[in-house]
Structures are given as C-alpha cells and as structure tokens.
C-alpha cells in the first residue's frame, strides 16, 4: 500500500492499481526520448503506441519531451500553446535565454502534448555543458562524436526545462521517465542538481550488448566473464557506456523491456532492474470475427501479382501452392538472424526437393539499407508483367473475333491455324523479354514495384521469420501476432521469452521459438529448418486454424494490460523519491501468471501434430479437420481459461517450461 496526502494505491494479485478518485491533477508525468516524433528505431513504436493508454490515464498532465526537427514538426505536430502553467513558464524562461522550445500535440492516437528542443539552436552552449557534465560525473565526450554531443545538448536542455518546471509546479509531484542512453544525460544532471523529481530509467537494449553480439561472440553464455571497461574501450564507446551506466545508477527506478534483457543489464550495467516493462501495441479488434482472414487473402493476392511480374519467364510453380515468408528489421546480418535464416532455407530447399513437394517458398528480406534508386531492370520486371497481360488480352480479342467469324460461317475453326504468324511473334517477343533480377526496394504504398505498406505486406504473408540472436524485445513478431500471422522467434528475444512464459504450447498458437541459447548454431539451424518444413507441410485448413489461434494471443500484447507495468514503476519511484510523503508497502513485482493460454485441447492440438506425411493435402483431409475443429468452441474455451486484461485475481499457474525445453 502506498500512502500519502493525495495518493492511495492498493494491490491485487501482485499488480497495483489506482483507486477510484486518484487526484492525478496533483502529479505531472514526463517521458523523455530522442525518438519522440523522430523515428529512429523501435523506441518510437513503444512511445507512439503507448501514448493513447497513458494519455487516457493522465490527461493534460502527461507530456513527451524530444528533439525538434522541422520536417517532423510540419508533418507530425499540431502547434498549440501549453495550458499547464508550469510548462508554459518553463518554456518562456528558456526561450528568453536563447533557446528554442516548441510545444504542440503529436498527431497520433491519444494526441499527447510534446515539448521539443531545437538542438542546433543551442549548440553554442556545447563547451559549457561539457564542463557541467564533467563536474557532475567526470564523463568526457570526444569532440568527434557528433551523436554524443547532440545528446549532451538534448540532456542539458532537458535538465534545464525540468528545473524550471519544478520551480513552478505549485506542490505537484513530478515523475520523469527517461528512455535509453540518449536521454540519460538529462537524468544525470537532474540528480546531480538535486531536482525534486521522481526518476525512472528504461533501457531497451544495452549499448555494449548490441556491439558484442554483432561481433559473433557467444554473448549470453559468457555474460559474467566480460571485462566491461576493456570491451567498451576497444570499441571506442567507453564514454557512451559511462553515460548509460551512470543513468542506470542515478535513477530511482531502473526498468527494462524483457527478462532476457534484465539478465544482460545486470551484468553489463551492474544493476538489476527493479521492474520489467514488456512492450505492447494498440490492439484493435475487428467487429467481424474473421475479418483479418479476409485481409490476409486480399493482400496475399497483391503479393502474388508482384511475384508474377518478378518471376515471369521463370514461373514454373503454382502460386496457389506458394507460401510467402519474410524477415524484417535493422540490417544487422547476425543480430537479426539473417545468417541462420539463409542457411535454414538451404536445408529447407533440400527437404522439399527430397520429398518431391509441390510447395514453393518465396522469401522477402525487408531490411532498410542504402540504395541509389530503382535500376532499369527492377522497373522492367513489372513492366514486362503488364506487357504480358496486355499481350494475352490482345491475342484473346483476335482469337475471339476469328472464332466468332468461323462460327457465323458454320465452320469449326482449325485450332492450329487460328493464331497467325504475327500473333506467335508477339507472344515470343513478350516471353523473351521476361529476364528478371533481384532488386533492392523498401515497402511503400507509393512504390511502382510493390505498392503496399508494411502492415498490408505482413497481412499478405504466411509466416514471419525472426531468428534473432540479439533482440531485447521484438516488435516484428509481436506485430505479426496481432495481425493473425504466425511467426518464428527465439528464446533470446524478449517476445519469445514472454510467449514461453504465458502460452503453454506456443507452436499450437503459431509462435515457433528457436532455442539459440542452449543449442549450438548448427542445432538451432536444424530446429529452424524443421519448423519451416513443418509449416510447409500444413494444409490450407491447418494454416487457417493456426492464424485464428495466433490472432487470439493479441490480448497478451495490448497496452491496456501491459501499461500496468509502467504504472508500477511510477508508483515505486514516487515512494523512493519522496519517502516522507509516500510509502509503498512491499508487494510482489507485477506478474501475468493469471493470464496464460493453455494448450488447445481440440484436434489437431497443433497444426504440426496432424500433418500429412508430405506437404500435399487433400480435400478429404480438410473435410476431416472440419469435423474435429470448432473455432467458436475453442475460442470460448480460451476466453474462459485466460483472465481479462482488467481482471487481476489469481489463477493457478501451470508447469513453467524451462528455457531450451522444446518439442521438435
């Protein structure tokens, strides 16, 4: 129980909740990140998707702090004047002293207020602020590290702003959450200056962890053996590492996004996280239960059109028996598992050929990288597809006219002569022009090659494959899940560990978890290959069943539920920052033990459990599955076995599956 003059909190099932009548007007909440209105990586998604839930709870007392970029301001922010007096006076004070601070509403769900600092406009203070940082914590920043210098300016402006806010807060308590090392200097300086604020620092990945994993080091099995200072120094990021570690130890509460990253942070940053705050999404349910299945069919047809253009001239496979797989993420070949995926595709190809499968697999690698522009051949492929279509229609018109004329004469036309030499020449020229190449292009609804945005593309695919070695959370498989698309993840990703914890049989629900922690790379590759081969062996009906189950997991990832972890961190930081006013009695950390999906009891228990011996399936097989599987009955059983996101009473927990415990 947390008690204070204006605050009272109770705990149910290990999760605290606000009591009715909480005067949130006595609190101000700020979140600080370099990715507020500024998309760089996954933190942007975290903040953007969480904004609505937080804004609904905190109303006009919730603010996001980030950098000002003119192009982002014009397209993402509606400028307005601050209503809050403390914020308005803080901005006025800074603007009068040579800063440029902008304010507005971020045009996303929830329309949260944003405070944006113009970094370039305040760069004249850089040398002075370097001195301030050195005096505060003895961290020096090299002049050639432009990014770190920008973060120093950003952090110094943040600390200045928070000082002005607390000077005019009129008794309100201020909570500030800082995301990642880029925002950390603001936290360090705020604590050094003893500002009356409650602080939370969230790391979404450790700096050194990402570097070490990219170097193909057996990272997770040697966590306790690294010489941290030496490793950071050799990679010329020691000053950044010091900024990150100082932020962690200055914060009242330290959080991270997954259990696997908590283990990493304890070794890399020398502090065990107080709270694990899993990342969520804004989950929107369709009014029609199977609408997501209809969207899959619609967008799959558009991908098929692209494939026709890309492979025509070499299209010796049946598109109706073709599966679309994809991998997406940063262009980090090893960290994101592109290396193991390519090797497993080679082994999958061998299995499909050996078993004489008529299934074809087309794989997309969606990884942004530097490219110049479309080359002639990339555009030519789609132009050729259109040319073939136009040629076929033209010949069809001529064929139809000749057939009609012959029938009018009472003749049965000679099929060998109905197409003349000119028709055959036109068709041969069209065929000869179908020489295509692989092309680099990222997804965009305005692309002349594949005019689809990322969400449409994901919905049209059959399986997302993300066998990452380093993935503190993993938004790509989470996004697949809420769209009802099965995915492959690993037990070294936060998402994979989260699903192992809360789903008794993840594979049955379309979540394939590769063991990359306790198996050799070759064994992990074999396991991934078996997952992919098993997926190829499924009948169409089995894939539909699996997509239904996958989509039902979306409640696990809803911010309406996962936002409570952030709430717990805020309560904890209040009790530590202001112990004379707020006291929080010891409670268990937030858990989701009562929110667990059981192994589906229906037949097939897992789409791999009743697969045919070969990838081919029959209509009879599909009909038999209809008799054994009742979607509505199974969905209702799931609803009864799991807890609502808003219900926190205890449900007995099943046997916990250990890391590395799998059925292949």
């Amino acid at each position: 129980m947390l008690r204070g003059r204006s605050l009272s909190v109770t705990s149910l099932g290990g999760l605290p909740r606000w009591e009715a009548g909480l005067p949130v007007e006595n609190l101000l909440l700020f979140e600080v990140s370099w990715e507020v209105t500024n998309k760089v990586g996954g933190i942007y998604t975290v903040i953007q998707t969480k904004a609505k839930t937080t804004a609904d709870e905190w109303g006009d007392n919730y603010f996001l702090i980030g950098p000002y970029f003119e192009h982002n301001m014009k397209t993402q922010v509606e400028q307005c004047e601050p209503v809050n007096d403390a914020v308005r006076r803080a901005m006025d004070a800074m603007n009068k002293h040579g800063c440029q601070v902008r304010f507005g509403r971020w045009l996303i769900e929830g329309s949260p207020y944003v405070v944006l600092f113009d970094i370039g406009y305040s760069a004249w203070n850089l040398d002075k602020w370097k001195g301030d940082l050195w005096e505060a914590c003895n961290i020096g920043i090299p002049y050639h590290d432009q990014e770190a210098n920008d973060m120093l300016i950003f952090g110094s402006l943040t600390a200045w702003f928070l000082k002005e806010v607390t000077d005019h807060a009129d008794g309100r308590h201020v909570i500030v959450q800082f995301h990642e090392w880029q925002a950390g200097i603001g936290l360090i300086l705020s604590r050094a200056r003893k500002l009356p604020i409650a602080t939370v620092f969230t790391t979404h990945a450790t700096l050194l962890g990402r570097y070490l994993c990219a170097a193909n080091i057996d990272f997770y099995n040697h966590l306790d053996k690294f010489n941290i200072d030496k490793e950071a120094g050799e990679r010329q990021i020691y000053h950044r590492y010091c900024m990150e570690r100082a932020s962690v130890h200055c914060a009242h509460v330290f959080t991270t996004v997954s259990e696997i990253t908590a283990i990493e942070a304890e070794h890399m940053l020398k502090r065990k996280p107080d709270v694990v705050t899993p990342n969520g999404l804004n989950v929107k349910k369709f009014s029609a239960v199977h609408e997501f299945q209809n969207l899959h069919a619609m967008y799959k047809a558009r991908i098929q059109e692209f494939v026709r253009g890309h492979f025509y001239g070499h299209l010796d496979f049946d598109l109706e028996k073709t599966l679309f797989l994809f991998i997406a993420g940063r262009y980090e070949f090893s960290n994101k598992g592109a290396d193991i995926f390519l090797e497993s595709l080679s082994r999958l190809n061998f299995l499909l050929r050996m078993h004489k499968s008529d299934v074809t697999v087309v794989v997309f690698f969606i990884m942004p990288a530097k490219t110049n522009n479309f080359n002639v051949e990339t555009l030519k492929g789609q132009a050729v597809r259109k040319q073939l279509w136009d040629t076929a229609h033209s010949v069809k018109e001529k064929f139809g006219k000749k057939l009609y004329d012959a029938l009018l004469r009472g003749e049965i036309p000679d099929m060998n002569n109905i197409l003349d030499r000119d028709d055959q020449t036109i068709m041969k020229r069209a065929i000869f022009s179908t020489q295509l190449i692989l092309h680099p292009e990222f997804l965009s609804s305005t692309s002349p090659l594949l005019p689809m945005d990322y969400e449409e593309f994901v919905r049209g695919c059959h399986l997302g494959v993300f066998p990452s070695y380093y993935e503190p959370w993993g938004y790509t498989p989470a996004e697949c899940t809420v769209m009802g698309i099965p995915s492959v993840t690993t037990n070294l990703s936060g998402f994979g560990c989260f699903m192992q914890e809360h789903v008794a049989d993840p594979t049955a629900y379309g979540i394939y978890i590769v063991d990359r922690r306790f198996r050799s790379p070759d064994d992990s590759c074999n396991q991934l290959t078996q997952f992919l081969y098993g997926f190829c062996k499924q009948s169409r009906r089995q894939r539909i069943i699996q997509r239904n189950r996958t989509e039902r997991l979306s409640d696990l990832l809803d911010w309406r539920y996962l936002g409570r972890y952030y709430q717990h961190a805020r309560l904890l930081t209040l009790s530590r920052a202001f112990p004379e006013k707020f006291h929080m009695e010891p409670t268990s950390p937030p858990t989701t033990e009562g929110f667990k999906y059981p192994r589906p009891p229906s037949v097939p228990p897992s789409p791999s459990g009743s697969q045919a011996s070969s990838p081919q399936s029959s209509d009879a097989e599909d009909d038999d599955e209809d008799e054994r599987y009742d979607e509505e009955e199974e969905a209702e059983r799931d609803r009864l076995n799991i807890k609502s996101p808003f219900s926190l009473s205890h449900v007995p927990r099943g046997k916990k599956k250990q890391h590395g415990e799998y059925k292949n």
Side-chain angles (χ1 to χ4, degrees), residues 37 116 248 538 651:
T37 74
L116 305 177
V248 167
Q538 291 184 107
V651 169

Side-chain angles (χ1 to χ4, degrees), residues 213-227:
C213 288
N216 291 320
I217 292 174
D218 186 6
F219 178 68
Y220 291 99
N221 291 321
H222 294 84
L223 278 173
D224 58 344
K225 298 179 177 64
F226 291 114
N227 183 330

Side-chain angles (χ1 to χ4, degrees), residues 366-475:
I366 310 298
M367 291 181 166
K370 289 184 178 180
T371 57
N372 293 321
N373 207 327
F374 304 116
N375 56 45
V376 174
E377 294 297 325
T378 63
L379 296 171
K380 179 182 174 184
Q382 297 305 315
V384 165
R385 179 192 64 80
K386 186 176 186 302
Q387 179 185 343
L388 287 174
W389 180 259
D390 293 342
T391 299
H393 273 269
S394 174
V395 172
K396 182 184 72 172
E397 290 294 325
K398 293 179 67 175
F399 178 90
K401 186 176 186 304
K402 290 180 180 180
L403 176 63
Y404 176 68
D405 291 341
L407 293 175
L408 283 178
R409 295 193 300 269
E411 301 173 357
I412 300 297
D414 183 351
M415 292 296 122
N416 293 322
N417 298 322
I418 199 166
L419 294 180
D420 58 30
R421 183 180 297 273
D422 288 341
D423 296 328
Q424 294 178 8
T425 300
I426 290 172
M427 290 189 289
K428 287 178 181 178
R429 287 175 59 185
I431 291 172
F432 290 159
S433 66
T434 59
Q435 304 300 315
L436 302 174
I437 64 170
L438 183 70
H439 55 267
E441 162 63 355
F442 197 62
L443 292 169
S444 168
S445 59
T446 59
S447 168
L449 299 175
L450 181 58
M452 302 175 73
D453 62 28
Y454 180 74
E455 180 179 337
E456 293 170 342
F457 173 80
V458 171
R459 288 190 182 277
C461 287
H462 295 93
L463 181 71
V465 184
F466 315 104
S468 303
Y469 184 79
Y470 188 77
E471 193 71 78
W473 176 246
Y475 258 121

Side-chain angles (χ1 to χ4, degrees), residues 458-506:
V458 171
R459 288 190 182 277
C461 287
H462 295 93
L463 181 71
V465 184
F466 315 104
S468 303
Y469 184 79
Y470 188 77
E471 193 71 78
W473 176 246
Y475 258 121
T476 42
E479 289 166 339
C480 285
T481 301
V482 301
M483 288 186 263
I485 302 300
S487 64
V488 176
T489 183
T490 76
N491 62 345
L492 290 181
S493 76
F495 173 83
C497 293
F498 184 81
M499 285 301 175
Q500 276 186 319
E501 179 74 17
H502 301 103
V503 182
D505 184 3

Side-chain angles (χ1 to χ4, degrees), residues 92-113:
D92 289 345
M94 293 180 68
N95 287 332
K96 287 177 182 177
H97 286 85
C99 302
Q100 275 200 358
V101 185
R102 310 296 180 97
F103 187 86
R105 284 192 180 274
W106 193 1
L107 299 178
I108 58 174
E109 284 193 90
S111 301
Y113 288 128

Side-chain angles (χ1 to χ4, degrees), residues 38 92 104 125 198 204 224-225 279 353 355 368 373 409 508 569 648:
N38 177 43
D92 289 345
N125 271 318
H204 298 256
D224 58 344
K225 298 179 177 64
N279 290 334
R353 288 177 177 273
H355 291 285
N373 207 327
R409 295 193 300 269
L648 300 172

Side-chain angles (χ1 to χ4, degrees), residues 356-375:
K356 302 186 187 312
S357 169
D358 61 356
V359 172
T360 300
V361 175
V362 173
V363 181
F364 295 85
F365 283 71
I366 310 298
M367 291 181 166
K370 289 184 178 180
T371 57
N372 293 321
N373 207 327
F374 304 116
N375 56 45

